[in-house]
């Protein structure tokens, strides 16, 4: 599956919606009658919803690698942090709902917090700076929460309203995470040849001088940018941010090439072509 930045809008919306629907089913299955405390109930139900939406959005990012371990890693990590976000966000929503006198404004703001935490969790499994998907998640949670609270009472059976609302919530969080990242990303690789042609990898998280470096390779356990190419080493090259640019260092036996020239250590410039193994990537940046 090709995962360009624009295709993320589609996949994140669809899988986010599926996550919301799964969260609806899970929360219905467990019910609220087992818990004497309202806030304990909100923690459990919010955690279930956050887990399902976070995991599905995480899976969509993992699909970019076409590697089962990477898909599992992204889904479990994002789902786990989504569980924490949901368990925190939904009680906040309920507390604001009661504090503001029972209107939908309080719950809507709480859902924004819910989305923000899921977006921030997503940043750990991608190349994004945390504030960008967190902002997208907050906007998506705010709009999705408004839809959820608005449609909940429009149906004779409130369960149907909840189903539609949570589906809209998941889709809204997913699409706004992808949209904000698309609009604000500073640097990314576009794969132009090889098995992942058409895919893109966002590099914003790695550009800061004192931030984390990114390993490029074929191993989902050892590399941050994973390329399924048998001619690429598990850790083939190292990308190091210097605030204004990236330096790339070859770590392989077969070589790393920029515009056809073999390098050991080089500064990466806009529109240059990086070749490792049988895969070519073009480096893009936005100042």
């Amino acid at each position: 599956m090709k995962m360009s930045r624009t295709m993320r809008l589609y996949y994140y919306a669809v899988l986010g919606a599926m996550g919301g629907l799964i969260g609806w089913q899970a929360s219905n299955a467990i019910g609220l009658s087992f818990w004497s405390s309202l806030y304990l109930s909100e923690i459990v139900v919010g955690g279930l919803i956050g887990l399902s939406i976070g995991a599905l959005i995480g899976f969509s990012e993992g699909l970019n690698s076409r590697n089962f371990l990477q898909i599992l890693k992204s889904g479990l990590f994002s789902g786990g942090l989504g569980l924490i976000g949901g368990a925190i966000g939904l009680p906040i929503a309920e507390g604001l709902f009661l504090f503001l006198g029972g209107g939908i404004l309080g719950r809507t703001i709480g859902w924004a917090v819910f989305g923000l935490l899921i977006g921030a969790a997503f940043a750990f499994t991608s190349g994004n700076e945390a504030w960008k998907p967190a902002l997208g998640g907050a906007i998506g949670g705010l709009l999705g929460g408004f839809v959820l609270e608005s449609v909940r009472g429009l149906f004779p059976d409130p369960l149907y309203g909840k189903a539609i609302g949570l589906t809209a919530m998941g889709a809204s969080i997913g699409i706004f995470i992808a949209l904000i990242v698309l609009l604000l990303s500073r640097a990314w690789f576009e794969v132009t040849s090889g098995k992942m042609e058409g895919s893109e990898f966002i590099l914003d998280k790695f550009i800061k001088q004192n931030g984390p470096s990114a390993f490029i390779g074929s191993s989902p356990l050892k590399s941050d940018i994973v390329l399924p190419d048998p001619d690429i080493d598990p850790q083939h090259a190292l990308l190091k941010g210097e605030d204004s640019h990236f330096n790339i260092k070859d770590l392989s036996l077969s070589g790393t090439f920029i515009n056809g020239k073999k390098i050991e250590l080089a500064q990466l410039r806009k529109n240059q072509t990086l070749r490792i193994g049988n895969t070519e990537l073009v480096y893009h940046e936005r100042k």
Side-chain angles (χ1 to χ4, degrees), residues 23-239:
W24 168 70
Q25 289 281 27
S27 63
N28 287 341
I30 193 170
L32 299 178
S33 59
F34 298 102
W35 312 99
S36 57
S37 168
L38 173 63
Y39 286 103
L40 180 58
S41 299
E42 298 290 348
I43 289 171
V44 173
V45 173
L48 286 172
I49 296 170
L51 171 64
S52 58
I53 293 176
L56 266 291
I57 292 176
F59 284 144
S60 67
E61 181 66 21
L63 287 171
N64 190 37
S65 68
R66 303 181 189 178
N67 182 284
F68 176 76
L69 288 178
Q70 184 71 9
I71 293 170
L72 189 63
K73 174 184 172 183
S74 296
L76 290 178
F77 196 83
S78 186
L81 291 174
L83 184 150
I84 295 171
I88 295 172
L90 195 56
I92 289 175
E94 188 63 32
L96 288 170
F97 173 75
L98 296 174
F99 179 75
L100 296 175
I104 67 172
L105 176 63
R107 278 205 179 112
T108 300
I109 294 172
W111 284 116
V113 175
F114 172 86
L116 182 148
L117 293 169
I118 289 179
F122 165 77
F124 286 93
T125 60
S126 68
N128 297 286
E129 294 172 293
W131 71 270
K132 294 173 185 175
L135 174 61
I139 296 171
L142 188 70
L143 295 177
F146 179 78
V147 172
L148 170 62
E149 298 302 328
S150 298
V151 304
R152 187 178 272 181
L154 296 180
F155 295 85
D157 188 340
L159 287 179
Y160 292 115
K162 183 180 177 184
I164 293 172
L166 284 176
T167 301
M169 166 76 69
S172 180
I173 290 174
I175 199 169
F176 275 97
I177 287 175
L179 182 61
I180 294 298
V181 167
L182 171 64
L183 294 175
L184 300 182
S185 55
R186 295 175 56 193
W188 64 95
F189 277 133
E190 176 191 2
V191 183
T192 56
S193 72
K195 294 181 178 180
M196 295 185 65
E197 181 178 352
S199 298
E200 295 182 354
F201 294 92
I202 296 168
L203 307 173
D204 292 12
K205 184 169 68 176
F206 307 109
I207 201 169
K208 292 182 180 179
Q209 187 172 24
N210 297 322
S213 299
F215 286 99
I216 306 172
S218 58
S219 171
L221 299 178
K222 296 181 179 180
S223 294
D224 304 284
I225 299 171
V226 181
L227 300 168
D229 183 334
D231 294 317
I232 295 177
D233 291 352
Q235 286 185 325
H236 197 102
L238 178 67
L239 196 65

